[in-house]
Amino acid sequence: MTGVSRAAIETWFPGDPARAAYAQDVWNDFWLHKNTGENSDNYNGLVLNYLDLWMRIWNQENNYQDPGMRAFLDAQMNQFSPWGTIGSFGDTPGFNNNPGPWINTLEKMATVYQDGRYKWLAHRLFAWTITQDTQMQTWGNIRINLMTDLMLAYLNADDSTAETVPTFSNQVTLRESIEYNTFAEITAT
């Protein structure tokens, strides 16, 4: 967030070399790896929105055509279940707790790539989300935040892209047992 904020300020009000260098360094770190240090279903959706904003500010939306960027976004898509929901992982307060950034990002990717798999997931996630209205009322300002993301999703959507059911590469497995190893056992291997 700090990186994209500094990029925006420096683009619109240039003149601070330290601010410009910071923004460029943060972007370069992302671009080198085409991945983020965050691994959380909650924050990943936010990061994707910030990356989109960054590319818009710098007029570099052509970065979406980079094969590494597409692979990064496809990997994000592959975290979803056939229900159109994303399981909780990482620093997250609960199942599908922040669907707005994901819905926006998925609509944007459907438009950028003319790929109906992203659109199908956006619509499934929205369908799940609207069934949670009673619970969302207890989540604080999620409904306000959700509205902002839904408006952006509407602006990003291209209705000429038809929904396509993705082929899911993830799977649910059942653990028969868990083996707990001591630190000595772990370090000995």
Side-chain angles (χ1 to χ4, degrees):
M1 173 94 177
T2 304
V4 72
S5 298
R6 291 184 184 187
I9 293 167
E10 188 58 29
T11 298
W12 299 324
F13 305 101
D16 184 343
R19 185 170 49 220
Y22 180 89
Q24 191 65 56
D25 285 348
V26 174
W27 174 262
N28 289 347
D29 184 58
F30 165 75
W31 196 250
L32 175 66
H33 303 287
K34 308 282 191 319
N35 208 336
T36 67
E38 186 63 65
N39 190 15
S40 163
D41 67 297
N42 179 39
Y43 292 116
N44 286 0
L46 292 170
V47 166
L48 296 172
N49 275 350
Y50 294 141
L51 290 172
D52 180 59
L53 179 59
W54 208 320
M55 288 186 279
R56 288 180 193 216
I57 289 168
W58 281 353
N59 196 27
Q60 294 182 357
E61 288 187 274
N62 61 323
N63 285 333
Y64 281 120
Q65 303 313 316
D66 181 89
M69 185 68 169
R70 178 69 190 259
F72 168 67
L73 293 165
D74 282 347
Q76 300 298 313
M77 179 180 62
N78 285 330
Q79 296 173 21
F80 282 82
S81 77
W83 296 317
T85 56
I86 187 166
S88 296
F89 61 90
D91 179 16
T92 185
F95 184 70
N96 261 4
N97 71 60
N98 199 3
W102 284 107
I103 293 169
N104 177 40
T105 296
L106 292 165
E107 281 288 0
K108 173 73 178 201
M109 296 309 95
T111 297
V112 166
Y113 298 121
Q114 293 294 293
D115 187 336
R117 297 174 305 157
Y118 287 103
K119 182 172 282 296
W120 186 89
L121 284 170
H123 292 184
R124 294 289 292 200
L125 181 54
F126 177 75
W128 178 88
T129 300
I130 61 174
T131 66
Q132 306 304 309
D133 185 61
T134 302
Q135 288 184 333
M136 284 192 292
Q137 292 177 32
T138 68
W139 297 351
N141 66 353
I142 186 72
R143 297 170 91 203
I144 295 166
N145 293 342
L146 182 62
M147 287 296 99
T148 301
D149 289 315
L150 291 178
M151 288 185 280
L152 290 171
Y154 175 80
L155 294 173
N156 282 325
D158 177 357
D159 291 336
S160 70
T161 302
E163 291 184 37
T164 306
V165 179
T167 301
F168 292 94
S169 62
N170 54 18
Q171 61 181 336
V172 175
T173 59
L174 301 175
R175 233 180 241 162
E176 296 297 322
S177 65
I178 298 175
E179 179 181 318
Y180 294 98
N181 297 313
T182 66
F183 181 75
E185 290 170 329
I186 294 168
T187 56
T189 58

